[in-house]
Amino acid sequence: MKEGRIIKVSGPLVVAEGMEEANVYDVVEVSDNKLIGEIIEMRGDKASIQVYEETTGIGPGDVVITTGSPLSIELGPGMLEQMFDGIQRPLLKIQEAVGDFLLKGVSVPALDREKKWQFTPTVQVGEEVEPGKVIGTVQETEIVLHKIMVPNGIYGKIVDIKEGEFTVEKTICSIETENGVRELNMIQKWPVRKGRPYLRKLNPVKPLITGQRIIDTFFAVTKGGTAAIPGPFGSGKTVIQHQLAKWADAEVVVYVGCGERGNEMTDVLMEFPEIIDPKTGQSLMKRTVLIANTSNMPVAAREASIYTGITIAEYFRDMGYSVALMADSTSRWAEALREMSGRLEEMPGDEGYPAYLSSRIAEFYERAGLVECLGNGEEGALTVIGAVSPPGGDISEPVSQSTLRIAKVFWGLDYALSYRRHFPAINWLNSYSLYQAKMDKYKEEEIDKDFPKFRIEAMALLQEEAKLQEIVRLVGRDSLSELDQLKLEITKSLREDFLQQNAFHEVDTYCSLPKQFKMLKLILSFYDEAQRGLKEGVYLNEILALPAREKITRAKNISEKELDSFDKIEEEVKEAVSKLIAEGGKPNA
């Protein structure tokens, strides 16, 4: 270890001299408090260090010691159900050790060193192994089987492997390599800024089913895809992130609260343990890792929190799991980059952000993907969903634009919709998904061949509504033909009965793909029947007064077990329109 001395302190930036033996991205201990920092720039023997803790009280002359290794985290059993800060310190363990407030320099191991795990080997003595090969399993929670893998760079033959209860530090396996025998325990260390390796990337073709109708039907994201949620303050970004974390069909969820308000992380902590996962019957926390780096915590740690989260997500991906990473929000991370860049006196780019902002955002999103894992040949998926908080909702600002260049799905939140209490406030005219062709093919094969056709018809109606509303504003609704008035009624039904969804309603909070198809089909079949009635001379107000319309409005509250009800309502509509035609309809001239 090499010592240096502080010559400058500027907020989270510390400059130390006498550091000629250190390297960029080395972790250092700053002052006698041993604050954790990372070297982000070297000029001669002077190192610029971003400190991940509060720097008040330290000054010139204080000692800085380099550890010689990059910022790394511990990967192994015990991460699920935990809440870490931005540099993977377990907050609940720290609370037990020092109380409710973080103290400077407090250090607690990320993984519990005392808890024993039941290790079951899956390989035998004499077997050849390589990086990524699963050598055994630990039942970490009731729903996630933690696979213990050979660390990167180790090739050889198993000479000893044990079964039983062990702590994460105990040796469980010995491997004979070219350089001698390597003893393995359950902990892997990995530098957070470096993506974990895989065999190859695959073409993502399966959707990440979220249970949110506007997303799954119109703007779906694949398992292994990337999505961005830009939106102004109060438009519902965090609630959508919470909904995706709760209901997306990922086997593991990593939720990163990066620079958001503390009460939002509190909501997550209070809600998630109480929500029962419908697929497993267990608490959602059993498959969730939380990383909390709230807005009142040191700004430099925001940058680390994003990398910490994606490294943990990659680790579970390497086991062959489908993992979803929620980053809320990447704008706060970009603001931390801007602050550090300003303190380093770098040349600013657009709106003061550093010139390398786009490349950093691209590096982050590029770590998503559907991959063939090393060693075990399984497929693992990492889906990254990032919220962006542009000032004033202006998505022309640099963070939004850099994100949109990379992310293939754009869920554009609209303050006007949220003001009208339409949630999720995703604007269907601005949003898009570049995975749409793949998703249509999947729905065609797995749900119903007509699903893509109905989606296209519904979107065409919604786009036509925008044009009709312009005419209505100019000359009034009564000037429209009955067919155009019918279109406005159907699009109102699409908006209020299909696109709008109540996150706090017991049934409506989650909607499966078969139910989404049935709902869409019901609304569009009513449209077809109403058109048939109009052609036969039935007045529009008679059609709109049918009792079945009330049932269509309430259809979103029909449970998943009663999907046959949709067919009955459809039949009722057909019979009612036929009756109206028989009673008073006559062919139009």
Side-chain angles (χ1 to χ4, degrees):
M1 290 191 183
K2 175 68 179 171
E3 283 191 12
R5 294 280 169 183
I6 293 174
I7 57 172
K8 174 186 173 184
V9 179
S10 174
L13 178 72
V14 167
V15 180
E17 62 181 3
M19 304 286 288
E20 59 274 355
E21 292 181 22
N23 299 304
V24 173
Y25 294 137
D26 277 3
V27 171
V28 295
E29 293 175 349
V30 179
S31 82
D32 295 335
N33 290 328
K34 295 190 174 179
L35 308 184
I36 299 169
E38 183 184 26
I39 296 175
I40 53 175
E41 185 182 70
M42 290 291 300
R43 291 184 185 177
D45 71 333
K46 292 185 176 65
S48 297
I49 301 157
Q50 62 177 359
V51 182
Y52 294 130
E53 300 183 60
E54 190 59 53
T55 56
T56 50
I58 64 172
D62 284 354
V63 71
V64 173
I65 300 172
T66 177
T67 62
S69 59
L71 181 66
S72 303
I73 61 170
E74 292 183 350
L75 302 167
M79 290 191 295
L80 293 171
E81 299 185 83
Q82 283 289 344
M83 180 171 70
F84 300 106
D85 75 349
I87 48 176
Q88 210 204 10
R89 292 181 299 183
L91 295 174
L92 295 176
K93 288 285 180 188
I94 290 176
Q95 184 188 31
E96 287 173 18
V98 299
D100 290 345
F101 295 95
L102 278 170
L103 300 181
K104 284 184 186 177
V106 65
S107 180
V108 175
L111 301 179
D112 193 330
R113 297 296 197 261
E114 295 172 9
K115 184 170 182 178
K116 290 190 173 181
W117 301 93
Q118 178 63 41
F119 174 75
T120 307
T122 55
V123 293
Q124 297 175 338
V125 172
E127 272 192 52
E128 295 283 338
V129 294
E130 59 183 351
K133 175 74 175 174
V134 177
I135 57 171
T137 59
V138 166
Q139 192 68 50
E140 184 171 353
T141 68
E142 288 88 333
I143 56 178
V144 177
L145 185 70
H146 194 112
K147 300 171 186 177
I148 307 298
M149 299 171 287
V150 177
N152 199 39
I154 297 179
Y155 298 82
K157 186 166 68 175
I158 303 277
V159 291
D160 180 40
I161 191 159
K162 300 170 183 173
E163 181 173 4
E165 287 197 341
F166 305 98
T167 61
V168 288
E169 288 183 302
K170 286 285 184 186
T171 299
I172 53 169
C173 175
S174 299
I175 297 175
E176 189 177 335
T177 68
E178 289 180 354
N179 304 319
V181 175
R182 282 286 301 267
E183 293 185 339
L184 302 185
N185 57 24
M186 295 190 221
I187 301 176
Q188 282 193 32
K189 284 207 165 186
W190 191 264
V192 296
R193 295 182 187 280
K194 183 181 175 186
R196 285 177 61 86
Y198 48 82
L199 207 56
R200 63 194 176 101
K201 269 197 174 176
L202 304 169
N203 185 21
V205 290
K206 288 185 179 174
L208 181 77
I209 298 166
T210 65
Q212 311 308 301
R213 288 186 289 270
I214 188 165
I215 292 173
D216 292 345
T217 298
F218 291 104
F219 311 111
V221 63
T222 58
K223 285 185 178 179
T226 53
I229 319 177
F233 175 77
S235 58
K237 289 185 299 296
T238 301
V239 172
I240 289 179
Q241 291 268 36
H242 289 194
Q243 282 295 94
L244 298 179
K246 290 172 192 172
W247 303 117
D249 67 335
E251 290 155 303
V252 176
V253 171
V254 181
Y255 187 93
V256 184
C258 173
E260 288 300 302
R261 292 169 293 284
N263 58 345
E264 293 182 357
M265 284 308 299
T266 307
D267 285 346
V268 176
L269 287 168
M270 300 297 281
E271 284 179 22
F272 278 32
E274 293 177 7
I275 294 170
I276 302 301
D277 187 340
K279 294 185 283 293
T280 62
Q282 298 286 337
S283 164
L284 270 183
M285 281 302 291
K286 300 285 183 188
R287 61 179 178 94
T288 304
V289 182
L290 296 176
I291 295 171
N293 193 255
T294 51
S295 52
N296 61 329
M297 295 170 95
V299 69
R302 290 183 196 175
E303 200 214 357
S305 66
I306 292 283
Y307 292 111
T308 299
I310 203 159
T311 303
I312 292 172
E314 284 177 332
Y315 176 67
F316 284 105
R317 175 208 68 190
D318 293 344
M319 298 179 197
Y321 290 130
S322 169
V323 187
L325 175 84
M326 314 294 164
D328 186 17
S329 100
T330 53
S331 291
R332 308 282 174 258
W333 166 53
E335 284 166 12
L337 283 178
R338 178 166 64 182
E339 179 167 337
M340 294 310 300
S341 174
R343 290 181 187 278
L344 285 167
E345 298 175 9
E346 294 172 338
M347 184 69 76
D350 286 351
E351 295 189 21
Y353 288 103
Y356 47 78
L357 174 70
S358 291
S359 61
R360 290 284 176 89
I361 289 175
E363 279 171 20
F364 169 66
Y365 280 99
E366 283 296 330
R367 288 171 73 168
L370 178 71
V371 304
E372 188 178 329
C373 305
L374 285 176
N376 52 33
E378 290 190 45
E379 287 185 7
L382 169 52
T383 310
V384 174
I385 299 165
V388 185
S389 310
D394 175 20
I395 64 165
S396 65
E397 56 89 42
V399 182
S400 300
Q401 289 301 307
S402 300
T403 304
L404 293 182
R405 277 198 288 272
I406 300 299
K408 293 196 171 180
V409 179
F410 167 54
W411 298 323
L413 296 180
D414 190 332
Y415 185 74
L417 284 174
S418 63
Y419 186 75
R420 297 205 301 262
R421 296 293 180 264
H422 178 112
F423 293 105
I426 295 173
N427 188 314
W428 49 89
L429 300 176
N430 298 344
S431 304
Y432 61 81
S433 169
L434 299 182
Y435 301 116
Q436 199 62 68
K438 295 176 189 174
M439 297 302 93
D440 281 350
K441 188 178 178 186
Y442 174 88
K443 290 168 191 167
E444 205 172 82
E445 293 170 357
E446 300 294 328
I447 309 299
D448 193 284
K449 63 181 176 57
D450 288 333
F451 206 151
K453 183 185 80 175
F454 288 155
R455 178 192 66 77
I456 292 166
E457 186 182 350
M459 184 52 74
L461 279 168
L462 289 165
Q463 288 170 340
E464 197 171 342
E465 181 203 27
K467 296 174 186 172
L468 290 173
Q469 290 289 7
E470 290 290 327
I471 299 169
V472 169
R473 278 193 284 271
L474 285 171
V475 291
R477 187 174 179 134
D478 293 339
S479 64
L480 298 178
S481 67
E482 282 201 323
L483 180 58
D484 283 344
Q485 288 185 42
L486 172 64
K487 285 177 183 174
L488 288 180
E489 286 295 328
I490 295 303
T491 50
K492 182 185 176 189
S493 182
L494 281 169
R495 285 188 285 106
E496 295 181 1
D497 306 333
F498 188 81
L499 299 179
Q500 203 167 336
Q501 198 164 347
N502 187 349
F504 303 102
H505 189 279
E506 190 179 352
V507 174
D508 198 32
T509 185
Y510 176 85
C511 188
S512 67
L513 278 181
K515 183 179 173 183
Q516 291 181 35
F517 169 72
K518 293 269 189 186
M519 288 178 69
L520 197 57
K521 183 173 178 247
L522 178 60
I523 294 168
L524 293 176
S525 67
F526 180 84
Y527 177 50
D528 291 340
E529 287 302 308
Q531 282 181 298
R532 180 168 73 94
L534 289 178
K535 281 179 185 173
E536 296 294 334
V538 179
Y539 289 114
L540 179 61
N541 58 358
E542 290 182 290
I543 298 169
L544 297 180
L546 290 174
R549 281 222 56 215
E550 181 72 19
K551 293 181 181 177
I552 293 172
T553 303
R554 298 181 183 278
K556 60 169 74 174
N557 299 328
I558 294 173
S559 75
E560 300 285 341
K561 297 173 185 174
E562 300 170 346
L563 294 187
D564 292 345
S565 307
F566 287 94
D567 299 329
K568 291 174 185 171
I569 299 170
E570 214 174 305
E571 281 302 313
E572 188 183 326
V573 170
K574 283 181 184 175
E575 288 171 12
V577 171
S578 298
K579 189 178 176 186
L580 284 175
I581 292 169
E583 286 174 355
K586 54 185 183 299
N588 286 332

